[in-house]
C-alpha cells in the first residue's frame, strides 16, 4: 500500500520514504506496539517504527511519548557499534533506523547461541551506559543475533537518557535502570548457557540483586491479586 504509514517527514531528506511501497510489514504484537515497515531506499534497507495506525488516544499519548524517548536514546548513543544506525524522526509518531538482517534471540535454541554473544551484548550495554543511556527493560526479543555471530540491540522505547545536566533524582533513576540492564544480561547469559541464574544475579552486585528480587516479589503479589499463576 503506497504511502500507508500516514506520517509526515520531519527531518530533511526523509520525505522520500512516504511514497515508497514497503517491502515488508510487521504488525505490532498488540495494540500498544508500533508497526514496523521495511523499505528499500536506494539499495539500503530502512525500518520505520510507526505508531500512526494505533487508535488516536493511544497514538497521541503512548505513541508520541515512546517515540520521543527512543529518538533521544538513539541520538545520545550515536555511533555505538551494535545499535542500528539512526536515520531520523518522521513526524510525532514514527522513526527510522537501518534494517538489521538478524533474528531475535528469542527465536534461537540455547544450544545454537555462542557464549561469546553475551560478551558482545555486554559491550553494547557498557557503551550505552557510558553515553548516559540505560534500557531498563532488556528482553530477548530486543537482542538480534546474526548468522555470523554479530549481536545488535534494538527497541530503545523504554530507554532512560541521562541528559546533559541531570539532577540527583535523574541520576538515581539512571543508576537504577543501569542495574536492571546488568541483571537482565546476567539472566539471559545464565538461561542460554545453562548456568545458575540466581548465582549470576548475585554476581552483579548486592544492590542490583536486592532491587531485582524486591521487584519480583512485588510482581508475584500483584499476580496473585489478579489470580494469575507465576510462570516457572
Amino acid at each position: 500500500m503506497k504511502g500507508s504509514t500516514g506520517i509526515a517527514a520531519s527531518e530533511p531528506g526523509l520525505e522520500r520514504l512516504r511514497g515508497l511501497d514497503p517491502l515488508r510489514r510487521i504488525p505490532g504484537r498488540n495494540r500498544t506496539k508500533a508497526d514496523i515497515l521495511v523499505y528499500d531506499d536506494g539499495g539500503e534497507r530502512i525500518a520505520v517504527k510507526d505508531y500512526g495506525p494505533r487508535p488516536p488516544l493511544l497514538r497521541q499519548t503512548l505513541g508520541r511519548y515512546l517515540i520521543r524517548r527512543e529518538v533521544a536514546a538513539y541520538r545520545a548513543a550515536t555511533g555505538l557499534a551494535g545499535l542500528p544506525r539512526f536515520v531520523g524522526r518522521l513526524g510525532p509518531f514514527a522513526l527510522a533506523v537501518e534494517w538489521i538482517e538478524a533474528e531475535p534471540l528469542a527465536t534461537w535454541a540455547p544450544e545454537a547461541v555462542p557464549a561469546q554473544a553475551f560478551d558482545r551484548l555486554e559491550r553494547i550495554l557498557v557503551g550505552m551506559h557510558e553515553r548516559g543511556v540505560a534500557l531498563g527493560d532488556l528482553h530477548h526479543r530486543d537482542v538480534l543475533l546474526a548468522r555470523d555471530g554479530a549481536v545488535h540491540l534494538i527497541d530503545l522505547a523504554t530507554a532512560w537518557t541521562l541528559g546533559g545536566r541531570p539532577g540527583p533524582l535523574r541520576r538515581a533513576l539512571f543508576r537504577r535502570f543501569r542495574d536492571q540492564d546488568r541483571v537482565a544480561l546476567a539472566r539471559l547469559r545464565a538461561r542460554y548457557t545453562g548456568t545458575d541464574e540466581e548465582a549470576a544475579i548475585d554476581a552483579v552486585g548486592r544492590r542490583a540483586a536486592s532491587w531485582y528480587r524486591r521487584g519480583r516479589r512485588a510482581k508475584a503479589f500483584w499476580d496473585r491479586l489478579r489470580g494469575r499463576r507465576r510462570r516457572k
Side-chain angles (χ1 to χ4, degrees):
M1 292 182 292
K2 191 166 290 189
S4 58
T5 60
I7 49 182
S10 61
E11 298 198 21
L14 291 184
E15 293 85 357
R16 65 186 181 274
L17 295 178
R18 289 194 296 168
L20 300 178
D21 291 318
L23 301 175
R24 183 179 178 189
R25 180 187 294 272
I26 306 171
R29 289 186 290 110
N30 55 54
R31 294 183 68 187
T32 68
K33 304 297 183 183
D35 292 347
I36 305 296
L37 296 98
V38 184
Y39 294 93
D40 184 338
D41 181 40
E44 181 184 14
R45 296 288 173 93
I46 299 293
V48 171
K49 183 174 187 177
D50 185 17
Y51 285 93
R54 301 284 80 81
L57 180 60
L58 189 64
R59 179 176 68 242
Q60 291 288 351
T61 54
L62 185 65
R64 186 185 290 266
Y65 172 70
L66 292 179
I67 287 294
R68 184 171 68 246
R69 285 178 69 105
E70 190 158 8
V71 167
Y74 272 117
R75 285 177 172 158
T78 296
L80 178 63
L83 293 184
R85 181 178 62 86
F86 178 63
V87 176
R89 183 169 182 169
L90 289 84
F93 314 121
L95 59 81
V97 296
E98 68 170 320
W99 171 256
I100 301 296
E101 199 62 54
E103 296 298 325
L105 191 60
T107 66
W108 287 73
E111 62 272 13
V113 178
Q116 297 89 339
F118 299 99
D119 296 332
R120 294 164 189 156
L121 177 57
E122 183 174 12
R123 286 196 291 271
I124 297 171
L125 288 175
V126 169
M128 290 182 65
H129 296 162
E130 289 174 346
R131 288 163 172 79
V133 180
L135 283 177
D137 189 29
L138 176 64
H139 199 279
H140 61 347
R141 284 191 294 266
D142 305 329
V143 179
L144 300 184
L145 179 61
R147 294 294 171 185
D148 63 0
V151 174
H152 302 270
L153 193 57
I154 59 170
D155 193 358
L156 309 187
T158 62
W160 182 264
T161 304
L162 193 56
R165 300 178 63 184
L169 177 59
R170 196 167 188 87
R171 288 184 181 277
L173 287 170
F174 176 77
R175 288 193 296 269
R176 174 74 181 92
F177 294 136
R178 183 185 60 192
D179 284 349
Q180 285 183 202
D181 289 348
R182 292 170 173 168
V183 169
L185 170 63
R187 294 183 66 214
L188 282 175
R189 191 193 299 266
R191 192 177 307 166
Y192 279 84
T193 60
T195 55
D196 183 79
E197 186 172 313
E198 293 302 316
I201 294 169
D202 287 334
V204 174
R206 180 178 297 179
R207 182 184 64 189
S210 295
W211 272 109
Y212 167 74
R213 291 187 173 113
R214 285 178 205 160
R216 294 295 290 177
R217 288 194 294 269
K219 185 177 185 304
F221 176 71
W222 177 241
D223 285 344
R224 286 197 299 272
L225 288 179
R226 295 187 296 163
R228 295 181 60 181
R229 291 185 178 182
R230 184 177 177 182
R231 293 181 179 180
K232 298 290 186 180

